[in-house]
Amino acid sequence: MNRIQDTGRRQKYMRVRVAVLFSFLVVFAALVVNRAFYWQVVRADELRAMAEDQYMRNIPLSPKRGSILDRHGAELAVSVEVDSVAADPKALVDSGAKLENVAATLAQLLGVNEARLLRRMKLPKSRFTWIKRRVSPAEGKAVRNLHINGILVTKEAQRFYPNGGLAAHVLGFANIDGRGIEGLELTLDENLRGSSEKVPAIRDRRGRIVFSKQLLDDRAAAGDEVTVTLDKTIQHLAEQELELTVRTFEARAGSIVVMDPKTGEVLAMANFPTYNPNVPGESSVGQRRNRSVTDRFEPGSTIKPFTVAGALSRRAVAPSQQIDCEGGEMQVAEYVIHDSHHWDSLTPGQILAHSSNIGTAKIGLALGRPGLHQALRSFGFGEKTGVRLPGETAGILRHHKRWYEMDAATISFGQGMSATALQITTAMAALANGGKVMHPVLVKRIRDARGDVLEDTMPRVRRRVVPRRTAQLVTEMLTGVTGKGGTGEEASIDGYLVAGKTGTAQKADYVHGGYAKGKWSSSFVGFAPAHAPKLVVSVVIDEPLIAYYGGTVAAPAFRRVMEKSLRHLGVPTDHQGGRLAPHLASHRREKLKEKKLKESLRLAAKTVAELAASNPENSDTVQSQRPPGAGDAQGAAASAPPEEGQVRVPELLGLDVRKAVIKARSNRLSVRLNGSGVVVGQQPEQGSVVAEGSVVSIELNPPGHALPPASKKDEETLQKGQSSVEGTVHNGTHDGLHARNSSFPSAVLAQAVSGGGL
Amino acid sequence: MKARFLALWTVAVVATAASLIVHLTLRFETVRLGYEVGKVRKEQGKLMESQRLLALEAATLRQTDRVETVARGTLGMDVANAPRIIMVGRKAKRMAGRAE
């Protein structure tokens, strides 16, 4: 009984225990859940922040400054990492190192002042001070090897200009902290610098970065890459020639601007004196000034083409109008305008060629004050071009309402106003491209570090200033300037027709008023090839001492820069060139002779036929004088002059490539070359009459190689061809001789044979 | 009843242990990969810097002054004057056509 009672009691006690335990567990679980909720939900954000604060660090991103490239991708400015040495004075003191010893060691290693270094190291509570920035890799390594606690070697970006002073004024330079100070480095600083920002990253207790999403692609913060329109080679040529000119004529300074007239892209902008942007501190402010855009000068006669263009487009003068040049002196108000030569009357073209002040003044006066002001203003004078360079000046072109009585006359030939070299170049580019004033472009493209294009500059027309026909007309007139007897003869280039204008202006004396005695600015601005302009080049030389005429000082520099630049760009020589290359000149002479000969023979043949028709006896005599072989049809075809649009294939066998190509081209034929060496075969054969511009296929073999069988045949053909070519001349000669004998118009034929023309 | 309770209990314990192991493994792997990424990134940075230095060196060697000096001095080259330049090929034909 008791046993049953005990069992029942134990069971009951067990249940109670289980219940108590369960209750306890429930309460405990509730407490755990409560605390968990409190920590995980209620204070979650605060605790997460605390945790992140312990293991996350904000890593400062020091983005590389973007590179500057030329139009072909050549580096003009790049940034690379170099070592810089700094100290943590507090850590130095805490490490127990003897500061005097540390300072002595570092001073010796880095070549810095020991006392100054020691003073910096003893700065109280300071945690950072520079010891030396931008040290050499060897110096950085040596400092690292010292293993001094509190001396740090950090990486810093340094700007390098690998081409030294090339395009220094355009590029400018950045300071030691990577901020643009001059040139494009300044105007595009925001793009080039990139964004300095701090990104969170997990670091371990040793400070090593464990992970950072943002750090995986830090290109987002890097500086943009800028491609400029400059051509490194043309820039070099311009700088080289400018320095040569300034030194030769002992000038004070000078500028050269080269522009593509179709797009307005600036291919070179050279200034002298210059400096090395790698060490800008070694140069003066004057050396660092980009004179092409910051310095204005009185353009003098270089303004005349724009006055004439304005007058022609407004029909104030006619292209063939004779303008009275008053024999070299003209009174305007109380002043007298002079010409260097005394002309009675000149056409606008002659006025430009001889640079007549009086003629231009008369054109300016015919245009009227508002007309002249509007014409020059529309060419861009008196307003900034908007090129992305700091310190650009607009030049001076006062409103016509504020002009003095004399101004309409003097401004028309470039006195009483001022312009920059870039403005003159842009205005001349407008004449070269058919009358459109373009926005000068210097920045071609901007890409971010990922390669995405942020900005791509397309050619932009500012305004159309004169009709195409007027621009062409003025271009024709400007070719006379570089022609024989023109003021810019020195600017003419063998093989290319050059249009341009010289300028010689006395400098204004801003201290005493009027013009400074003996201070001149000489200039030349022009373009080539005149009929299909590729480049506009302006040369401005400030205060030359040896000579001062633009045609003497600036024109030769123009010629050299233009000639070399055209060659660099692969622009073929111009068949209409004023001064042509020797082979082209002889080709032109030959063409002329040939044409006249053909014409004479045609006339002679016609006369013969007419005479023969009227007098059968004479006709028989003529036929009997034909050379052997001329009687058959083939011989007649071979010896007869080719018809209009046709040419005879010349003999090319045995010639080297150069001579063969010249000969073929002088006969208005194209060539296809196979192999190298001397010509051993050609197709079509020499003597064949083909259409102008036909392709002659030339087989070449190295000299000394035996002629292939086919070429022997060609050789025979050559001889045959030669005889037929000779036959042509003999034919004429015979006809000529016969003509004399048979009362032909002898003067006509004598001229025909000698190539003198009719 | 008891067996079922034990089974469920065991499953709960095993699941908890397994999730803990998976979590720790993932955490460990994340840290390891983080170090790996950091190391590779550092290497990439070094290589990019070397590339930049080499580009700078190449640009310095391509200085127009230097090229001209080498061409004229060492190689004895000279600038060809206009008559010695003959354009051949399609471009020349096109340009000549345009010129006329």
Side-chain angles (χ1 to χ4, degrees):
Chain A
M1 181 68 192
N2 282 342
R3 214 172 157 181
I4 294 168
Q5 279 180 342
D6 280 353
T7 311
R9 211 181 303 132
R10 204 176 290 145
Q11 279 181 343
K12 191 181 174 186
Y13 180 65
M14 193 67 164
R15 271 191 222 110
V16 171
R17 278 170 64 193
V18 167
V20 169
L21 184 65
F22 185 74
S23 306
F24 180 75
L25 282 173
V26 167
V27 171
F28 181 74
L31 280 173
V32 168
V33 169
N34 176 267
R35 291 317 287 169
F37 182 81
Y38 177 73
W39 293 117
Q40 294 288 333
V41 179
V42 178
R43 294 190 60 191
D45 293 342
E46 184 192 341
L47 293 172
R48 193 175 296 120
M50 277 171 70
E52 280 180 359
D53 199 40
Q54 283 178 2
Y55 62 79
M56 296 287 276
R57 289 284 181 275
N58 279 330
I59 311 294
L61 276 183
S62 48
K64 288 265 159 35
R65 197 172 171 80
S67 300
I68 302 180
L69 314 172
D70 88 337
R71 64 190 295 117
H72 302 299
E75 290 89 351
L76 300 175
V78 283
S79 287
V80 290
E81 276 186 351
V82 291
D83 289 330
S84 284
V85 183
D88 179 349
K90 191 171 179 296
L92 265 175
V93 173
D94 292 348
S95 70
K98 206 173 175 189
L99 295 184
E100 285 76 10
N101 289 349
V102 173
T105 312
L106 289 176
Q108 194 187 1
L109 208 64
L110 302 173
V112 289
N113 185 288
E114 188 182 334
R116 208 167 134 198
L117 189 57
L118 193 61
R119 259 202 317 278
R120 281 189 181 186
M121 283 178 176
K122 283 181 176 172
L123 284 172
K125 293 179 187 172
S126 172
R127 295 302 309 255
F128 187 87
T129 181
W130 285 115
I131 291 178
K132 190 178 179 184
R133 298 178 78 176
R134 276 89 197 240
V135 297
S136 68
E139 286 174 330
K141 197 177 172 188
V143 174
R144 262 191 215 100
N145 289 339
L146 291 174
H147 299 294
I148 302 171
N149 197 12
I151 299 294
L152 323 161
V153 180
T154 60
K155 291 279 183 192
E156 271 197 295
Q158 187 176 357
R159 200 69 164 157
F160 281 101
Y161 302 90
N163 297 288
L166 190 89
H169 299 94
V170 176
L171 300 177
F173 61 92
N175 69 4
I176 197 162
D177 293 317
R179 290 194 172 265
I181 300 295
E182 287 274 8
L184 289 176
E185 292 275 24
L186 175 62
T187 47
L188 299 176
D189 192 42
E190 212 168 288
N191 290 93
L192 289 165
R193 190 153 28 101
S195 51
S196 298
E197 53 186 63
K198 291 182 173 179
V199 297
I202 301 172
R203 281 197 174 208
D204 65 7
R205 53 185 294 194
R206 288 169 62 190
R208 289 179 300 180
I209 296 168
V210 178
F211 185 72
S212 169
K213 234 185 218 176
Q214 283 98 324
L215 275 180
L216 283 177
D217 193 5
D218 57 359
R219 291 175 302 174
D224 301 331
E225 184 185 88
V226 174
T227 303
V228 293
T229 56
L230 296 182
D231 184 311
K232 193 176 136 183
T233 308
I234 297 179
Q235 178 73 30
H236 170 68
L237 293 171
E239 287 183 6
Q240 203 178 35
E241 294 304 336
L242 178 64
E243 184 176 353
L244 182 75
T245 305
V246 170
R247 291 197 191 284
T248 306
F249 292 97
E250 294 180 20
R252 200 169 74 92
S255 305
I256 292 182
V257 179
V258 183
M259 185 182 273
D260 180 340
K262 284 199 188 85
T263 60
E265 289 177 352
V266 178
L267 300 177
M269 188 179 272
N271 295 281
F272 191 85
T274 186
Y275 72 104
N276 185 350
N278 289 307
V279 278
E282 292 177 6
S283 57
S284 65
V285 177
Q287 282 174 302
R288 295 200 294 264
R289 204 166 69 231
N290 187 347
R291 292 163 194 272
S292 308
V293 293
T294 61
D295 284 19
R296 51 176 200 258
F297 67 102
E298 281 203 4
S301 301
T302 47
I303 213 79
K304 287 174 184 169
F306 313 113
T307 305
V308 171
L312 288 171
S313 67
R314 286 163 179 77
R315 299 182 191 281
V317 289
S320 55
Q321 187 179 329
Q322 289 288 331
I323 293 163
D324 182 9
C325 291
E326 317 263 345
E329 271 190 17
M330 183 175 84
Q331 180 93 25
V332 178
E334 67 266 38
Y335 300 97
V336 178
I337 298 173
H338 297 275
D339 268 344
S340 54
H341 294 83
H342 297 178
W343 309 102
D344 288 329
S345 66
L346 297 169
T347 61
Q350 289 167 328
I351 284 171
L352 288 179
H354 302 302
S355 200
S356 163
N357 289 340
I358 295 170
T360 318
K362 285 206 164 179
I363 292 174
L365 291 170
L367 197 50
R369 285 183 179 205
L372 180 61
H373 178 263
Q374 200 192 353
L376 296 180
R377 188 82 189 186
S378 63
F379 271 104
F381 296 105
E383 65 178 12
K384 291 183 181 180
T385 62
V387 72
R388 288 164 90 168
L389 285 171
E392 191 194 2
T393 178
I396 296 172
L397 179 63
R398 284 175 287 120
H399 193 270
H400 63 85
K401 285 183 179 165
R402 297 203 303 273
W403 285 3
Y404 296 107
E405 209 175 337
M406 179 80 169
D407 281 344
T410 57
I411 286 174
S412 63
F413 54 83
Q415 284 187 357
M417 63 169 288
S418 63
T420 64
L422 184 62
Q423 281 178 330
I424 287 277
T425 317
T426 312
M428 190 54 97
L431 288 180
N433 67 23
K436 290 173 285 182
V437 176
M438 306 297 292
H439 279 278
V441 181
L442 200 53
V443 178
K444 198 174 172 63
R445 195 173 300 114
I446 300 179
R447 287 176 196 270
D448 67 13
R450 291 193 185 98
D452 296 332
V453 177
L454 303 177
E455 190 182 313
D456 205 355
T457 314
M458 303 304 285
R460 280 188 303 142
V461 180
R462 216 189 310 174
R463 66 181 82 90
R464 175 169 277 286
V465 60
V466 287
R468 177 174 287 276
R469 179 75 197 109
T470 307
Q472 284 169 345
L473 208 58
V474 178
T475 299
E476 286 297 320
M477 293 175 181
L478 290 177
T479 57
V481 175
T482 60
K484 200 157 177 66
T487 55
E489 204 181 339
E490 279 290 322
S492 63
I493 304 169
D494 279 347
Y496 298 101
L497 190 60
V498 177
K501 187 71 194 79
T502 53
T504 312
Q506 215 168 350
K507 287 183 75 177
D509 187 341
Y510 293 108
V511 181
H512 305 101
Y515 285 95
K517 212 171 180 185
K519 289 187 176 178
W520 302 84
S521 76
S522 313
S523 52
F524 189 92
V525 56
F527 53 90
H531 60 274
K534 294 277 175 234
L535 295 175
V536 177
V537 176
S538 71
V539 181
V540 180
I541 306 295
D542 186 25
E543 291 185 27
L545 286 179
I546 307 291
Y548 60 85
Y549 282 115
T552 315
V553 179
F558 166 89
R559 184 189 67 235
R560 293 192 295 267
V561 172
M562 182 63 93
E563 187 177 12
K564 290 175 182 178
S565 302
L566 289 174
R567 188 184 303 140
H568 164 68
L569 295 176
V571 179
T573 48
D574 184 348
H575 288 248
Q576 297 165 14
R579 270 169 55 179
L580 294 171
H583 80 272
L584 289 171
S586 62
H587 160 224
R588 198 163 73 158
R589 277 195 300 273
E590 278 168 22
K591 263 175 74 178
L592 204 64
K593 266 187 190 176
E594 195 184 322
K595 196 176 170 187
K596 285 173 180 173
L597 179 68
K598 274 187 217 166
E599 186 62 21
S600 307
L601 289 173
R602 195 179 60 77
L603 278 173
K606 197 178 165 190
T607 318
V608 168
E610 282 167 8
L611 284 172
S614 61
N615 186 354
E617 281 174 29
N618 277 349
S619 171
D620 288 339
T621 320
V622 171
Q623 279 171 16
S624 67
Q625 290 295 319
R626 279 184 180 169
D632 59 280
Q634 199 183 352
S639 58
E643 287 175 10
E644 193 66 31
Q646 289 188 327
V647 287
R648 196 180 300 283
V649 178
E651 168 208 359
L652 303 173
L653 292 174
L655 299 177
D656 63 26
V657 186
R658 171 177 299 281
K659 285 177 185 160
V661 173
I662 291 172
K663 196 164 184 181
R665 296 187 100 199
S666 63
N667 283 277
R668 284 159 286 156
L669 291 167
S670 299
V671 285
R672 189 184 298 130
L673 304 171
N674 299 311
S676 61
V678 294
V679 181
V680 294
Q682 70 174 77
Q683 194 61 40
E685 293 168 353
Q686 52 270 45
S688 316
V689 175
V690 294
E692 273 185 18
S694 299
V695 178
V696 178
S697 189
I698 298 174
E699 285 293 330
L700 299 149
N701 256 5
H705 280 223
L707 292 178
S711 67
K712 284 184 181 168
K713 188 184 161 196
D714 289 339
E715 206 170 23
E716 285 164 20
T717 321
L718 167 72
Q719 285 164 1
K720 202 168 140 190
Q722 263 180 329
S723 61
S724 69
V725 172
E726 283 163 9
T728 312
V729 179
H730 290 161
N731 193 13
T733 315
H734 284 295
D735 282 352
L737 288 171
H738 172 72
R740 281 190 197 101
N741 293 340
S742 54
S743 65
F744 258 76
S746 57
V748 170
L749 288 169
Q751 267 189 319
V753 173
S754 66
L758 294 167
Chain B
M1 177 73 184
K2 201 174 177 181
R4 194 167 166 242
F5 175 76
L6 275 173
L8 283 171
W9 184 256
T10 310
V11 167
V13 168
V14 169
T16 309
S19 60
L20 188 69
I21 289 165
V22 168
H23 172 74
L24 288 175
T25 311
L26 287 175
R27 181 78 188 155
F28 178 78
E29 194 62 10
T30 306
V31 172
R32 195 185 65 77
L33 286 172
Y35 276 117
E36 191 90 350
V37 168
K39 211 168 128 187
V40 171
R41 207 184 150 272
K42 207 172 168 184
E43 186 65 27
Q44 182 207 24
K46 266 187 192 171
L47 290 171
M48 280 169 72
E49 198 51 39
S50 307
Q51 193 262 346
R52 212 169 277 139
L53 276 171
L54 289 169
L56 176 66
E57 196 180 333
T60 313
L61 290 171
R62 281 198 296 262
Q63 267 188 29
T64 35
D65 281 335
R66 185 183 166 276
V67 170
E68 191 172 349
T69 310
V70 171
R72 285 186 193 277
T74 315
L75 304 175
M77 295 169 87
D78 205 351
V79 179
N81 50 19
R84 291 186 61 78
I85 300 169
I86 299 166
M87 299 277 291
V88 287
R90 257 185 238 163
K91 191 182 169 191
K93 201 173 170 185
R94 199 171 56 237
M95 292 184 99
R98 204 159 50 204
E100 279 163 26

